[in-house]
Amino acid sequence: MPDPDVVIVGAGAAGLSLAYHLCAPGAAVPLSVVLVDAPPGPLRPPPRTWCYWEPPGGAYESALAASWPRLRVRAADGTATVADPSPYRYKMLRSDAFEALVGRRLSGAASFRRIEATVTAVRDAPNGGEVLAQDGRVLVRGRRVFDSRPLRRLPPARTTLLQHFMGWFVRTERPSFDPTTADLMDFRTPQPARGLSFGYVLPLDPQTALVEYTEFSPAPLDTEGYRRALRHYTQEVLKLGEFQVTAQERGVIPMTDGHFPRRAGRSVHRIGTAGGATRPSTGYTFAAVQRQSRSVADRLRAGRGLRMPAPYGVRPRAMDAVMLRALDSGRVDGSDFFTRLFSGVPGERLLRFLDGGSHFHEDLLIGLRTPVAPMLRTVVELPFLTRREPPPPPPTGHEKSTP
């Protein structure tokens, strides 16, 4: 096979999404695509869950595990705020269903090829980029290479926290869940000394749900720490009674105001979390990956020059930096901060804000729902803080999709 037009390294959400959009039928300029996937083993992530919001319909609707028309946040005292974010629905997509859906399209694309190999490096080469295998040989060359592998080190930042979590898919003996409502944040959990914690409940039916314990804090817990937190949340807070754990998820996501370069060379581009697609203040990634993938694919399929889109604009990134610093410094109480946002802002507007798509005047109105004095103090402080190299991140399990 001649050198392809596009080489994609990694078959996670970012790599598969880009391949899916590049191989859609009807391109003005048909493209040859090679996807390099890690062989079975530790480099392949386990089954995982992605969540996002959009109106009913969408490219992946047939593969969804569930979706919810209502969202709920519970304050530390149990007070519930329920939002109807219409026209949006909160959607849950399992990685195995997503891979199957994408695989059906790719299997019918004559100019697509998938290979398995452990990639050690990606670099520029004459007339494009090249991917190196474990033994140092050139595995494949292409006109453009898109690398979705996680970074070995996070970029220098003024603030770096981790969003880390463990979740159980549970089956209860009695009806315990409302299948129309997703609990995005339940702050009836013991709060850590630094950061915040909350429960996260995605019901699949009255007796089945994904129940997670999540922290925003400097370091992950050990396995027993997560299990202890989940036992407390399921028994003492949710009072589920007897239940079976049918599956488990665990992950770590960086929350940082560091800059993620979208280019690693003249013809080498970073995508996914490595390219800055994870929203620093929330951990949401999937929707930004779709925007980025569609934009790249549309330009290449139309024969236009590539311009890698920024996953988020300057203003959302600046607001994220302020929020992270205020939270990490202890100037704002995390549970109070998010509870006030959800109780004071209409659901549809808040979801657009969390996705980086709100207007300036809407951002100002939302800002008034936050603790103004601590946030202004943080705004003044940020320009004088030094960006420092954070420690190497722990291995990530999968994207966490919580606000």
Side-chain angles (χ1 to χ4, degrees), residues 100-124:
L101 183 148
V102 173
R104 288 192 289 273
R105 170 174 288 183
L106 298 181
S107 65
S111 57
F112 172 80
R113 183 163 60 109
R114 185 169 185 160
I115 58 179
E116 288 186 357
T118 299
V119 174
T120 57
V122 178
R123 67 190 184 191
D124 277 328

Side-chain angles (χ1 to χ4, degrees), residues 33-210:
V33 178
V34 169
L35 176 65
V36 185
D37 191 10
L43 294 180
R44 276 200 187 178
R48 53 221 183 272
T49 300
W50 299 304
C51 290
Y52 59 103
W53 51 83
E54 66 178 4
Y60 311 126
E61 196 79 5
S62 63
L64 293 178
S67 69
W68 300 270
R70 300 195 304 168
L71 305 174
R72 180 166 53 209
V73 170
R74 292 189 184 273
D77 64 2
T79 302
T81 298
V82 179
D84 174 2
S86 180
Y88 299 120
R89 290 179 71 97
Y90 193 70
K91 301 183 176 184
M92 176 185 183
L93 180 62
R94 295 284 287 154
S95 61
D96 51 357
F98 177 68
E99 290 165 6
L101 183 148
V102 173
R104 288 192 289 273
R105 170 174 288 183
L106 298 181
S107 65
S111 57
F112 172 80
R113 183 163 60 109
R114 185 169 185 160
I115 58 179
E116 288 186 357
T118 299
V119 174
T120 57
V122 178
R123 67 190 184 191
D124 277 328
N127 303 315
E130 59 186 17
V131 178
L132 276 63
Q134 251 181 328
D135 57 7
R137 65 188 170 89
V138 175
L139 185 65
V140 62
R141 291 189 176 93
R143 291 177 56 197
R144 298 186 186 277
V145 180
F146 295 88
D147 190 356
S148 68
R149 295 174 301 154
L151 297 178
R152 294 181 181 273
R153 295 191 69 89
L154 295 174
R158 293 165 296 195
T159 308
T160 299
L161 293 174
L162 298 177
Q163 181 177 162
H164 53 96
F165 53 93
M166 178 183 281
W168 290 339
F169 282 87
V170 302
R171 176 73 179 175
T172 60
E173 291 188 349
R174 56 179 173 80
S176 303
F177 307 108
D178 176 2
T180 69
T181 305
D183 284 285
L184 292 188
M185 286 181 152
D186 184 346
F187 291 108
R188 295 176 295 172
T189 54
Q191 296 300 306
R194 182 177 167 194
L196 76 155
S197 74
F198 54 91
Y200 179 62
V201 183
L202 300 182
L204 304 180
D205 62 50
Q207 292 177 255
T208 309
L210 171 60

